[in-house]
Every structure is written in C-alpha cells, then in structure tokens.
Amino acid sequence: MERRMRQATTTGHRLRVVVLGLSLAVFWTGDAFGQYSHIRDGFYSSIGIGFGSGRISCSQCAGDRAGGISGLFAIGTAIDQPLILGAELDLFYRSESNFEDTWIGTVTAFGQWYPVSNGPFFLKGGLGFSGAQVTVATLTGFESSSATGVGYMAAAGYDFRIGAYLSVTPLVGFYGGSLGDVDQATGVNTSVLQALVTVGFF
C-alpha cells in the first residue's frame, strides 16, 4: 500500500510538471502565433516527449497503470491543406528502482486531419504494429518477456506556429495494441495515455 502511494505521488508530480511545461509552451508561443499562416505543403516531421501512463493487462489480470516517459517521432507529407499522411513511432518507458523495466511501443500508418483547412487544431489516428517488453531482475540475473501484435494510435493537438516552417504542439493521445498470448498469459493488451509537447517541421 505504501509503495502504491509513493507511485501515485510520483505520477502526480510528473503530471504536474508536464502540465506546467505545456502551459509554458502555450504562453511562450502566444505572441508569435498570429505572425505565421498555417500553410501545410510537402514534407512533414515531428518529434516530442512528455508524460505517459502505461498498462499491460491480460484476460486473467487487470494490470496496474503506471507513470513513465512517453515520446513520438513522425514523418509524412501534406496531401492537401487539411490532411497529412505518414508513419509514426510512439514509445513508453518505465523503470522501477532498477528492478523492472517496461517498454511499450507502436508503429502506425496515420492520417492527421485539420477540421479547418488552414487552422491549428487537428485529430489523428493510425493502425499498425504494437510491441511490449518487460525485463525483471532475478537472483540469477535478468529475465525478459516480449511480444508483438496489432497496434493503434489516436491523438489530438494544437499547432502554435513559431516560424514559417516550424511549430510547437501540445498533444494528448492514446496508443497500444493487442499482443495475443504471452507465456502463461492470454489476451495480452497494452495501452498508454500520453501528454506531450512536440516540435513539428512543415
């Protein structure tokens, strides 16, 4: 119980740091926001980092959600003003006192859609592959278990243009996958909630 309370406190602290970072990003880019138009044309890339809350569950276990580091890297191309198509890598990592390391990731083909063609707000979603790996320290060394399966991703963000081809974007999203049966566990699923600040190049 005490350990879970410490984890909850740490997770809450990390979430506050991420929220503060997002607020500072919005404040910092506020003056520059109106100076650049939201023209999207050609190559696109984005990289970001922030807070994640990950969980690995199965048919026999609900799984506890735990905080960690989450990030993404995406490349694509603007098909038209309101649409970007591309590929994205999302990763989550958590280390628990050098006793257990957890990785959760997805690689998806995605579509990013702007409801207002030259506006800053967007929704995106994708399908692809998902994977997870858990490494646990034992008396004789380390034991790892990993699996892959079908993955998915969904997110929403708001571009703050700070240059003709550069934007800072607060983003919230959800990704994970279905990994099937792993070792003695059946119906293994992963899920990650994330809040990031990304930098995009158009």
Side-chain angles (χ1 to χ4, degrees):
M1 175 66 72
E2 182 180 352
R3 186 172 120 187
R4 290 192 176 184
M5 290 178 65
R6 286 199 303 270
Q7 290 179 345
T9 301
T10 301
T11 299
H13 176 70
R14 289 174 177 167
L15 182 58
R16 286 192 295 272
V17 170
V18 171
V19 171
L20 177 61
L22 292 174
S23 300
L24 289 175
V26 171
F27 175 79
W28 177 59
T29 57
D31 291 338
F33 173 56
Q35 300 177 15
Y36 303 98
S37 62
H38 288 271
I39 301 300
R40 289 172 285 273
D41 183 26
F43 178 77
Y44 162 82
S45 67
S46 178
I47 187 169
I49 192 167
F51 173 79
S53 176
R55 180 175 67 184
I56 300 177
S57 61
C58 65
S59 299
Q60 303 92 344
C61 54
D64 293 328
R65 190 169 289 281
I69 299 171
S70 189
L72 68 79
F73 174 72
I75 57 173
T77 184
I79 302 302
D80 199 354
Q81 274 301 300
L83 182 63
I84 293 174
L85 298 180
E88 179 169 311
L89 168 66
D90 291 274
L91 282 176
F92 168 83
Y93 173 72
R94 172 179 169 79
S95 179
E96 185 177 343
S97 303
N98 297 321
F99 175 76
E100 179 177 310
D101 288 348
T102 302
W103 288 91
I104 300 173
T106 60
V107 177
T108 57
F110 75 89
Q112 183 166 309
W113 175 64
Y114 293 80
V116 178
S117 63
N118 62 345
F121 175 75
F122 65 83
L123 300 169
K124 69 176 176 177
L127 293 174
F129 301 96
S130 178
Q133 176 176 298
V134 177
T135 302
V136 179
T138 66
L139 295 177
T140 57
F142 294 91
E143 294 184 357
S144 294
S145 180
S146 61
T148 58
V150 177
Y152 55 85
M153 174 273 297
Y158 195 100
D159 293 331
F160 288 92
R161 279 295 179 97
I162 60 174
Y165 303 100
L166 182 66
S167 66
V168 172
T169 303
L171 178 146
V172 292
F174 178 79
Y175 62 91
S178 176
L179 308 186
D181 299 339
V182 183
D183 297 333
Q184 303 301 316
T186 61
V188 176
N189 292 283
T190 62
S191 65
V192 177
L193 299 171
Q194 64 178 357
L196 311 179
V197 173
T198 71
V199 177
F201 304 89
F202 292 85

